[in-house]
Amino acid sequence: VTDVKQLREMLHYPDDDYRINPEVVIHKARRRQRLRATAAAGVLLLAAGLTAWSVWPLVAADRAVSPPAPESSVAPAPPTTLDPQPSLRSTPRPPAPPIGAIGTIPVDLGDGWSVWTQGSDVCLQYVLPDGRILDNPPFTCLAPSRLQGMPWSSVDETGVFIHGVIPHEAARLVLTFPDGETRDARLFRLDGIPGSMFYALHVSAADLPNYLAEPSPPLPTVTAYDAANQVLGTLAPPPQ
Amino acid sequence: VKAENADFSAFVAAQSPRLVHLAELLSGDRHRAEDLVQSALIRAYLRWDRIEGDDPFSYVRQAVVNAHRDWWRRRQWREIAAAEPPEPQPGSDFAAAVDDRTSVLRALSMLTQNERNVVVLRFYEDLDEQSTARVLGMALGTVKSTCARALRKLRVSPELADELAKGAP
């Protein structure tokens, strides 16, 4: 580089004018806002719980030295059905969300998953139960052509994230790890690509510690089943 | 909120190509660049009412630089591709553009991360030395010496020498 003018020109190499989809940014930002609000509420609840716990022995000691209250002839009121305690009720788990159809607007599929398309790429976001968001490459936005065939896996401190595309209209997809452990992956339909489905699975580090302790964990075998539980196809990893 | 969203969307549409290009020069990776910009834009959206009237581009650029430096410090993940992905068959224009980009990115990869950051901000973003120092949180003297060292390396880079030879009359 003889002068900085040439360097400037080189750094401005022709580009494909790639534009970020603002809808996706707004969706992620709002989601982050919601998560922060939930986390803040959780901290407040925890703080309130800790306060109540630390005050309790004082209350108990106070009761121990207080004279007993005179017995009342009035029986305590029976619990009314109009006074439920929602926090103590067990909320029924919502049914498993259906297989997702992917479009350009991010769709919240429940259980922490969101999917959308950006150009020809499939984008995927997963929010871990502790609120951390897996939305960095290679977790998002990969062209289906790059995913055909064997699964892609990414290992980080949260665990392993495995995704790929299968050339089947499957009803269920099972990943079998080298030690025989199996996990069901989430399945998503790919708009405009009939006959193929995108699948993804996140396994936390605590769930498969031995597998993730290996320096280069081998990929699991992928088996696709139809609605009648018949095997549609299997993708086995190449020998290492 | 709708008007705010419209302003933000317009900003993203107008500025994201430049931001992605900047992030690609900093990180050397297109997918990472898109992600860095997206993270920076999320931060910007959450503070849009405060930064909109000021200089949103400077804010997002600073966020991209910070996000890149954070990632650089804690890069640990790895990806295992079991199958060679099929690559598209590019036409000649596409191939030439990819060639230019590859040469520049390869030349930048010979630099240290600080040298690279300084070169990109000085000669892609056209920031003066003072502004570069402020964005990178470096001393002015360090920016000057880092820039001089980076230029010395680039002058002898075989990647850019080829490019210059191609462009020479």
Side-chain angles (χ1 to χ4, degrees):
Chain A
V1 181
T2 51
D3 64 20
V4 293
K5 184 167 171 283
Q6 281 170 306
L7 176 60
R8 277 199 177 93
E9 282 170 12
M10 284 177 185
L11 292 175
H12 286 84
Y13 52 76
D15 218 338
D16 58 2
D17 205 29
Y18 178 88
R19 282 166 209 279
I20 300 271
N21 181 349
E23 292 274 1
V24 172
V25 175
I26 292 170
H27 167 82
K28 286 189 174 185
R30 287 188 179 150
R31 177 163 213 156
R32 192 167 293 182
Q33 254 173 341
R34 281 202 302 273
L35 283 167
R36 278 184 187 164
T38 310
V43 168
L44 281 176
L45 210 62
L46 185 68
L50 286 173
T51 308
W53 182 253
S54 57
V55 166
W56 170 248
L58 301 178
V59 174
D62 186 42
R63 279 192 183 164
V65 294
S66 301
E71 278 187 24
S72 168
S73 57
V74 182
T80 162
T81 53
L82 296 175
D83 184 28
Q85 292 178 298
S87 61
L88 298 178
R89 281 171 157 184
S90 64
T91 47
R93 190 178 162 77
I99 290 169
I102 307 179
T104 52
I105 305 296
V107 178
D108 194 339
L109 292 172
D111 287 350
W113 293 96
S114 294
V115 283
W116 66 95
T117 54
Q118 190 160 297
S120 60
D121 290 0
V122 176
C123 306
L124 187 71
Q125 186 189 68
Y126 177 64
V127 182
L128 292 163
D130 65 6
R132 279 179 295 175
I133 301 175
L134 297 184
D135 62 354
N136 287 321
F139 302 120
T140 53
C141 298
L142 284 168
S145 63
R146 291 182 68 84
L147 295 164
Q148 290 283 7
M150 284 309 298
W152 287 55
S153 82
S154 315
V155 180
D156 67 4
E157 74 281 1
T158 67
V160 61
F161 188 96
I162 299 166
H163 57 186
V165 169
I166 44 155
H168 301 289
E169 283 278 352
R172 188 180 166 217
L173 192 113
V174 176
L175 303 182
T176 307
F177 290 87
D179 59 359
E181 288 267 1
T182 58
R183 295 285 184 282
D184 272 44
R186 293 296 303 260
L187 277 166
F188 310 102
R189 250 184 213 107
L190 295 167
D191 276 0
I193 312 177
S196 285
M197 293 184 97
F198 181 85
Y199 64 89
L201 172 75
H202 182 269
V203 184
S204 72
D207 197 14
L208 285 177
N210 294 337
Y211 174 72
L212 290 165
E214 294 189 39
S216 181
L219 288 165
T221 297
V222 179
T223 311
Y225 297 90
D226 65 9
N229 228 20
Q230 299 293 312
V231 175
L232 290 169
T234 300
L235 288 167
Q240 294 230 321
Chain B
V1 173
K2 272 187 180 171
E4 225 172 60
N5 281 356
D7 290 347
F8 178 77
S9 296
F11 171 81
V12 173
Q15 302 295 348
S16 60
R18 178 176 162 193
L19 288 163
V20 170
H21 193 114
L22 165 71
E24 184 178 50
L25 288 172
L26 291 172
S27 68
D29 179 278
R30 185 51 179 262
H31 283 293
R32 179 150 319 280
E34 288 166 15
D35 242 59
L36 289 172
V37 174
Q38 206 172 80
S39 303
L41 287 170
I42 288 171
R43 293 172 69 91
Y45 178 80
L46 295 173
R47 294 162 185 77
W48 191 245
D49 54 338
R50 274 172 280 166
I51 63 172
E52 188 188 4
D54 198 8
D55 180 4
F57 184 82
S58 295
Y59 178 91
V60 179
R61 179 176 59 202
Q62 182 75 59
V64 167
V65 171
N66 292 350
H68 170 60
R69 283 194 304 187
D70 287 350
W71 169 80
W72 185 255
R73 287 190 197 113
R74 59 180 164 72
R75 60 194 193 290
Q76 278 177 345
W77 60 269
R78 61 190 188 277
E79 183 170 36
I80 307 150
E84 226 12 79
E87 293 299 335
Q89 295 299 313
S92 57
D93 286 353
F94 179 84
V98 168
D99 214 28
D100 288 350
R101 165 195 272 169
T102 309
S103 300
V104 172
L105 293 180
R106 211 174 282 165
L108 289 176
S109 72
M110 309 289 175
L111 306 178
T112 66
Q113 196 54 49
N114 275 344
E115 289 166 354
R116 185 175 186 143
N117 293 345
V118 169
V119 164
V120 171
L121 291 178
R122 287 280 288 115
F123 304 117
Y124 176 71
E125 279 296 306
D126 278 330
L127 296 186
D128 58 26
E129 289 168 334
Q130 199 90 46
S131 305
T132 303
R134 198 176 53 245
V135 171
L136 293 176
M138 294 164 86
L140 182 59
T142 311
V143 168
K144 286 179 180 174
S145 59
T146 306
C147 189
R149 200 166 50 243
L151 287 176
R152 270 200 305 276
K153 286 186 187 176
L154 290 175
R155 282 193 183 103
V156 296
S157 154
E159 301 294 339
L160 294 193
D162 285 353
E163 284 301 303
L164 288 170
K166 270 192 276 175

